[in-house]
Structures are given as C-alpha cells and as structure tokens.
Amino acid sequence: MSRKPKFFPRAYGVKTQSDVDAMYNDWADSYDEELIENGYMSPIRAAQALCQFLPNNASVLDFGCGTGLSGKALKSCGYTNISGSEINSNMLEKARMTGAYKSLFLGNILDPFPFETGTYDAITAVGVISTGAGPALLLPIVLDALAEGGILAFSLNDAALADPTYLGELEKILERGAAKVVFCEYGPHLTASKVGSTIYVLKRL
C-alpha cells in the first residue's frame, strides 16, 4: 500500500512567504520521494504537451520549479534552454542539483516575475496554480508575463477544477481575447491517490 504523504495536507494552509518557508524548508529533502512514490504525472504530461507547440531550442521558464521535477521532464523531452524560479531557497538548491536548468532565480510571492514581459518563449506552471499553492488570480499574472505568441502550459488538479474561481479566471482570459486554448487534456496527476489533472496549453494573443 502506498504511504500517504506527510506534507500534502499542510500545503493547503500556505498563504504567506513565511508559511511557504516554514513548510518547504522541512519538505525539501523528501519532496521528490513523496511525489514520485505517489505517481506524480503532471510534469511529464505538461512537457509532452508543450512539445507539440514549441521547438526544443525555445526559452522556457519553469515557474514554481520546486525541486526540479518539471525541469527534468522538460529536459527529457529535449528542451535545453530552461530557467527556473522558486520562492523557497531550499527547494531551489535541490532544483540546481538536477542539472536541468540553464539559470535559476529565487522569486517572491509579492514579485513573481521580476523580468521584462516576453523574456521567455514559454512558461510552465505545473502544480503551481492550485488550492494550497497559487491562487486563481495567479493565472492571468503568469499569462501577462508572456509576449504575444508566447506559450503557457499549466496544470489544474482535481481540487482546483472543483473550485469555480480557477476555471472562472481561465474563462475571463478567453472572453477578453488574451489567449486561446491550443491543448486541453484530463489525465493522471497522482496515480497512487487516483487524483487527476487537466493540462492546458494557452497561446498568448
């Protein structure tokens, strides 16, 4: 029987930078083990979806990269120009050790994109925009960090899909013509827990 993760329940109470650091400083060493043990599939599914719309030499920002599981998935799909951002320094150091990233920087909840709009051809946000992680309002903020033609690949897990604010923000983006959905597929997120996620790929208009 698969062991239940120790930190997932705590993630739902994270709201401030101090909350983030308190939890992820403890979780960093066992994060990969717990997610892999629980069959974490969203990173590779997002990377494979991105491959359909973005060449391997494009610049990609893995936003909220954590310990680098999404970066490793992107690298396994052939991407070589990958940057990562993370708001916890311990997690960021774990990501650095993967060797998947060309550059890494420490972000902040209050200033998630300290760079010019359009710096990256694509941004991925896997397991980031979700209850217990990033609020729904983060979705348009991430999109606005891209220039016209930029690609956003992100996941919404079952908890986020059940919260109307997340799909509500996506609908607002589509209604105002800021982006179009070029890929949308529901599938496994955490196989051991039978939790799913939808992978979306948006093109900035």
Side-chain angles (χ1 to χ4, degrees):
M1 181 179 294
S2 184
R3 196 174 59 211
K4 291 184 179 180
K6 296 181 294 182
F7 289 93
F8 283 140
R10 283 176 57 187
Y12 288 86
V14 171
K15 294 179 181 178
T16 67
Q17 186 67 48
S18 59
D19 288 339
V20 168
D21 289 334
M23 182 178 73
Y24 286 101
N25 284 345
D26 292 338
W27 199 0
D29 286 339
S30 63
Y31 185 87
D32 285 8
E33 180 185 353
E34 289 187 12
L35 266 68
I36 292 169
E37 185 179 81
N38 279 268
Y40 189 35
M41 297 298 296
S42 289
I44 190 62
R45 291 178 55 224
Q48 290 171 345
L50 190 64
C51 285
Q52 300 180 39
F53 306 97
L54 194 73
N56 291 148
N57 62 351
S59 59
V60 182
L61 173 65
D62 180 14
F63 175 64
C65 66
T67 57
L69 292 174
S70 293
K72 289 197 289 186
L74 288 165
K75 186 177 180 181
S76 75
C77 288
Y79 288 102
T80 56
N81 188 5
I82 310 166
S83 297
S85 70
E86 170 55 40
I87 59 176
N88 178 264
S89 58
N90 284 10
M91 301 286 272
L92 194 69
E93 285 309 307
K94 296 291 183 182
R96 196 181 307 281
M97 291 168 62
T98 67
Y101 299 93
K102 186 176 180 179
S103 63
L104 287 161
F105 65 89
L106 186 65
N108 188 283
I109 285 176
L110 300 177
D111 186 22
F113 298 106
F115 52 77
E116 275 188 41
T117 298
T119 297
Y120 299 96
D121 298 317
I123 296 175
T124 61
V126 182
V128 176
I129 303 171
S130 173
T131 54
L137 285 172
L138 187 57
L139 182 55
I141 294 172
V142 178
L143 184 70
D144 287 345
L146 291 165
E148 183 178 334
I151 300 293
L152 170 59
F154 67 99
S155 64
L156 291 180
N157 64 23
D158 284 344
L161 292 169
D163 183 333
T165 60
Y166 287 88
L167 289 179
E169 285 300 325
L170 177 57
E171 285 302 316
K172 289 177 187 177
I173 286 169
L174 301 179
E175 286 173 3
R176 65 184 170 94
K180 66 177 179 179
V181 177
V182 294
F183 181 92
C184 174
E185 182 180 79
Y186 185 79
H189 176 60
L190 296 169
T191 57
S193 305
K194 297 183 179 178
V195 175
S197 69
T198 297
I199 301 298
Y200 293 92
V201 178
L202 305 186
K203 183 173 183 180
R204 183 80 160 91
L205 300 176

